[in-house]
C-alpha cells in the first residue's frame, strides 16, 4: 500500500499572477526564531478525475506531479476543514491500482482521465524555532492552470500556502494567520488549487443578447451596468415525513461510500462503522415502510444484509476472542492451569474464516458496486408512499411507537421465560429489535426533537445491557468448545470451568437487572 501523510494546511489569496506577493516579517510570529529561504521549486501536476468530476464533487484530488521533493502520485482524502490525508505512490505513467481502488466507491466503473494541468513556481520558506526545528512551510505559489478535458480554458493566479510541520501543533497556524491578516492577506475562497482551476477554466455560457431599446426611449443605464442578483438557493429544510427519512437514508449512503477508502486502508474501527451504516439503512427501510415503498427497498435490504455479513467476517470472532482474553487476564494466576492462552490463540486463529483479501475482493466486486449505484438511484428518485408527503409529527412518531411496542412484547416474553436457552434467544431477539428502534428514533430526532432523542438513549442503554447478556452466551459456548478440545488433548480443563462460571454469573446479573431497567424505560414511554 502507498505511503500516507496527514496534511494540515491553510491557503490564502495572493495578488494577481505576475504581481508581487510580499510576505510580512514572519520572524515576529510567536515561537518563530528564523525564516529560511529554500528557493523556488518548479512543479508540474496533472489532475485526474472522471468526465463528470465525481472526485472533485467529493473534494478528493488525484494527481501525478513532477518537481519538488515529493514527485509521484498523490491522492488527497478530506478529513476535516484544512486537514487531508495524502496517500502517495511512486511515479508511473498510469494511475496506480492502489490509488484507483481507494476511489472505487466514487468512480465505480468510470474511467479516470486528465482534467487539469497545473504549472506552479513555488517560492518556499521554512519557519523554524530556536533549535532549528521546522514549525511550518510557507510557500508563495504562482500558478498557471490549463484545462485538459471538458473545455480548453486557462487561468493564472498567485496563492500563499501554510503547511504545518509533521506532528506540529495546529494552534501554530492561528498565530501565522493572525500575522497574515494584519498584512491584509485573506483566506482563499477555494478549498484547493484544483477547485479554483476547475472553476476558473470552466466553459462560460454565452450571454444572451438583450432586446434592442425602442427608438426615442432612453436606456436605463443602471440596469445595463448592474448584474442581476443571484437567485436564492432552494430551501432544503426537511418538512415532510419523507424529507426527514430521506435525509437519514442519504447520510447512511454517504457514510458507506466515504468509509470505503478507510476500510481498504484498514483504518481502526472503519469496518465496524461501515457495518453500522448498512444496518441503520436496512433498519430504516423496514421501520419506515409507510414512507418508502418496501417493494422497492426490500431487495436492497437483502443486499445490505449481505454486505453487513461480509463486513462481519472475522469481526465477530475477533470480538469474542477479545472477551475471552480479557476474562483470562482478569483471573488470578493460581486459577490458570494448563496452556490456556496458547489454546485460545490456536482456537481463534483456526476459526478466522475470512481475510482482508476477501474483504477487498468484496469491495471491488460487481455486487457491491451495483449496490452503491442502486442506493444512488433510490436517493435520486425515492419510491415514496402517500404518507411521505404528510407531516412528520404523526407519520414518523407512529412508526417509532410501532417499533417500541415490538420491543416491549419481546422483553415481556423474555422476562416470563425461566433461565435457559429459550430465554437467551428471546433476549437476543429483544436486543436486535431495540437496535432497530434506536435507529428509527435516530432518524426521527430532527423531526420529533427531545422525545426521540430520549428514546435513542433508552434503547442504547437497553441494547448495551442485552448485548452484555448475548456476549455471555457466546463466551459460554466458546468455553464449552475449548474445554472439550483441551480435555481431548489431555489438558486440564479447570480454568475453562472457572471462566464459564464467571460468564454465567454475568448473565444472571443482567437478567436480574433487566426488569428494573425495562420498567424505567416503560415509564418514559416512546415518542
Amino acid at each position: 500500500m502507498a505511503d500516507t501523510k496527514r496534511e494540515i494546511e491553510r491557503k490564502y489569496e495572493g495578488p494577481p499572477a505576475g504581481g508581487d506577493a510580499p510576505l510580512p516579517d514572519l520572524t515576529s510570529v510567536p515561537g518563530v526564531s528564523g525564516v529560511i529561504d529554500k528557493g523556488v521549486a518548479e512543479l508540474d501536476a496533472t489532475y485526474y478525475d472522471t468526465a463528470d468530476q465525481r472526485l472533485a464533487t467529493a473534494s478528493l484530488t488525484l494527481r501525478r506531479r513532477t518537481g519538488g521533493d515529493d514527485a509521484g502520485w498523490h491522492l488527497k482524502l478530506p478529513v476535516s476543514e484544512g486537514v487531508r490525508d495524502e496517500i502517495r505512490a511512486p511515479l508511473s505513467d498510469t494511475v496506480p491500482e492502489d490509488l484507483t481502488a481507494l476511489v472505487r466507491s466514487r468512480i465505480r466503473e468510470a474511467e479516470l482521465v486528465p482534467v487539469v494541468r497545473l504549472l506552479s513556481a513555488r517560492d518556499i520558506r521554512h519557519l523554524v524555532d530556536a533549535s532549528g526545528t521546522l514549525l511550518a512551510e510557507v510557500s508563495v505559489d504562482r500558478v498557471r492552470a490549463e484545462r485538459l478535458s471538458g473545455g480548453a480554458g486557462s487561468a493564472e493566479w498567485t496563492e500563499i500556502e501554510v503547511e504545518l510541520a509533521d506532528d506540529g501543533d495546529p494552534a501554530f497556524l492561528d498565530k501565522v494567520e493572525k500575522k497574515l491578516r494584519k498584512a491584509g492577506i485573506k483566506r482563499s475562497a477555494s478549498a484547493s488549487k484544483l477547485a479554483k482551476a476547475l472553476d476558473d477554466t470552466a466553459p462560460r455560457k454565452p450571454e444572451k443578447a438583450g432586446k434592442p431599446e425602442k427608438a426615442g426611449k432612453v436606456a436605463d443605464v443602471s440596469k445595463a451596468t448592474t448584474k442581476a442578483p443571484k437567485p436564492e438557493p432552494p430551501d432544503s429544510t426537511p418538512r415532510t415525513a419523507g424529507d426527514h427519512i430521506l435525509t437519514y437514508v442519504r447520510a447512511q449512503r454517504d457514510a458507506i461510500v466515504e468509509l470505503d477508502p478507510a476500510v481498504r486502508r484498514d483504518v481502526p474501527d472503519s469496518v465496524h462503522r461501515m457495518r453500522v451504516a448498512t444496518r441503520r439503512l436496512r433498519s430504516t427501510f423496514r421501520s419506515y415502510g409507510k414512507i418508502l415503498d418496501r417493494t422497492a427497498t426490500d431487495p436492497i435490504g437483502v443486499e445490505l444484509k449481505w454486505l453487513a455479513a461480509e463486513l462481519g467476517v472475522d469481526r465477530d470472532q475477533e470480538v469474542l476472542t477479545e472477551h475471552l482474553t480479557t476474562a483470562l487476564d482478569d483471573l488470578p494466576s493460581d486459577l490458570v492451569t494448563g496452556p490456556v492462552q496458547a489454546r485460545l490463540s490456536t482456537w481463534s486463529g483456526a476459526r478466522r474464516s475470512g481475510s482482508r483479501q476477501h474483504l477487498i475482493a468484496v469491495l471491488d466486486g460487481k455486487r457491491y458496486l451495483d449496490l452503491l449505484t442502486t442506493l444512488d438511484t433510490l436517493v435520486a428518485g425515492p419510491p415514496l408512499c402517500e404518507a411521505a408527503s404528510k407531516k412528520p409529527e404523526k407519520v414518523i412518531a407512529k412508526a417509532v411507537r410501532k417499533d417500541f411496542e415490538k420491543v416491549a412484547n419481546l422483553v415481556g416474553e423474555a422476562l416470563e421465560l425461566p433461565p435457559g436457552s429459550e430465554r437467551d434467544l428471546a433476549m437476543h431477539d429483544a436486543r436486535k429489535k431495540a437496535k432497530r428502534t434506536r435507529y428509527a428514533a435516530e432518524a426521527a430526532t430532527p423531526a420529533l426533537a427531545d422525545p426521540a432523542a430520549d428514546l435513542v438513549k433508552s434503547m442504547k442503554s437497553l441494547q448495551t445491557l442485552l448485548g452484555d447478556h448475548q456476549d455471555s452466551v457466546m463466551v459460554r459456548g466458546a468455553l464449552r468448545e475449548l474445554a472439550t478440545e483441551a480435555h481431548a488433548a489431555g489438558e486440564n480443563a479447570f480454568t475453562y470451568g472457572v471462566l464459564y462460571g464467571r460468564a454465567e454469573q454475568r448473565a444472571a446479573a443482567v437478567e436480574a437487572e433487566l426488569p428494573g431497567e425495562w420498567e424505567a424505560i416503560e415509564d418514559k414511554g416512546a415518542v
Side-chain angles (χ1 to χ4, degrees), residues 239-244 291 385-396:
R239 300 184 185 281
T240 66
D243 291 340
H244 282 278
I291 294 175
C385 300
E386 183 179 350
S389 62
K390 297 181 179 179
K391 293 183 178 180
E393 290 78 5
K394 292 184 178 180
V395 178
I396 292 180

Side-chain angles (χ1 to χ4, degrees), residues 253-494:
R253 185 277 310 269
D254 291 348
I256 293 171
V257 173
E258 290 166 5
L259 283 166
D260 180 290
V263 170
R264 293 174 186 269
R265 294 165 57 205
D266 202 18
V267 173
D269 204 38
S270 58
V271 172
H272 171 68
R273 289 164 59 202
M274 183 186 275
R275 195 181 186 192
V276 168
T278 64
R279 288 172 167 173
R280 280 177 167 146
L281 199 48
R282 181 167 173 255
S283 292
T284 301
F285 291 156
R286 298 175 71 184
S287 294
Y288 293 105
K290 297 294 184 183
I291 294 175
L292 293 171
D293 187 355
R294 288 195 59 173
T295 60
T297 61
D298 278 356
I300 303 175
V302 171
E303 295 303 287
L304 289 168
K305 183 178 182 180
W306 160 78
L307 178 57
E310 293 289 2
L311 291 167
V313 170
D314 288 350
R315 174 58 182 168
D316 292 339
Q317 180 64 34
E318 288 172 6
V319 171
L320 180 56
T321 301
E322 288 172 7
H323 283 306
L324 288 167
T325 302
T326 300
L328 182 60
D329 290 342
D330 289 342
L331 275 185
S333 59
D334 60 342
L335 295 180
V336 180
T337 60
V340 181
Q341 183 61 64
R343 177 155 296 282
L344 174 58
S345 298
T346 301
W347 172 87
S348 176
R351 282 152 185 77
R352 293 195 63 181
S353 58
S355 64
R356 281 206 52 77
Q357 289 77 13
H358 172 76
L359 179 55
I360 297 304
V362 168
L363 298 183
D364 284 335
K366 185 175 185 301
R367 186 173 182 179
Y368 168 70
L369 297 177
D370 285 349
L371 171 58
L372 297 185
T373 300
T374 299
L375 291 174
D376 290 345
T377 301
L378 179 136
V379 168
L384 297 174
C385 300
E386 183 179 350
S389 62
K390 297 181 179 179
K391 293 183 178 180
E393 290 78 5
K394 292 184 178 180
V395 178
I396 292 180
K398 183 177 180 180
V400 175
R401 284 195 296 269
K402 185 177 179 180
D403 276 349
F404 182 81
E405 290 169 3
K406 291 178 180 177
V407 175
N409 291 335
L410 288 172
V411 172
E413 291 173 8
L415 291 175
E416 291 176 0
L417 292 169
S421 58
E422 287 190 24
R423 172 180 268 197
D424 292 344
L425 182 59
M427 292 180 71
H428 182 47
D429 288 341
R431 172 177 174 261
K432 291 189 291 184
K433 194 62 67 176
K435 188 184 297 185
R436 173 174 158 183
T437 305
R438 172 189 167 188
Y439 294 154
E442 283 179 353
T445 298
L448 306 182
D450 289 346
D454 290 342
L455 184 58
V456 170
K457 294 178 182 178
S458 295
M459 290 298 99
K460 186 175 181 180
S461 176
L462 178 62
Q463 179 187 331
T464 299
L465 186 65
L466 295 174
D468 290 343
H469 186 274
Q470 180 61 16
D471 289 342
S472 172
V473 172
M474 299 302 294
V475 164
R476 281 180 282 160
L479 287 168
R480 281 194 296 269
E481 188 175 339
L482 283 162
T484 300
E485 291 182 2
H487 178 73
E491 299 167 6
N492 192 324
F494 170 77

Side-chain angles (χ1 to χ4, degrees), residues 113-136:
V113 298
V115 292
V116 166
R117 183 184 184 192
L118 296 184
L119 301 171
S120 304
R122 169 164 290 183
D123 191 355
I124 305 169
R125 294 166 178 80
H126 282 181
L127 308 186
V128 297
D129 63 14
S131 66
T133 300
L134 179 65
L135 299 172

Side-chain angles (χ1 to χ4, degrees), residues 89-125:
L91 203 60
S92 62
D93 292 336
T94 58
V95 182
E97 181 55 37
D98 281 354
L99 301 189
T100 302
L102 292 176
V103 297
R104 184 85 67 202
S105 66
R106 300 288 184 182
I107 67 173
R108 314 291 162 79
E109 300 300 328
E111 182 184 4
L112 289 169
V113 298
V115 292
V116 166
R117 183 184 184 192
L118 296 184
L119 301 171
S120 304
R122 169 164 290 183
D123 191 355
I124 305 169
R125 294 166 178 80

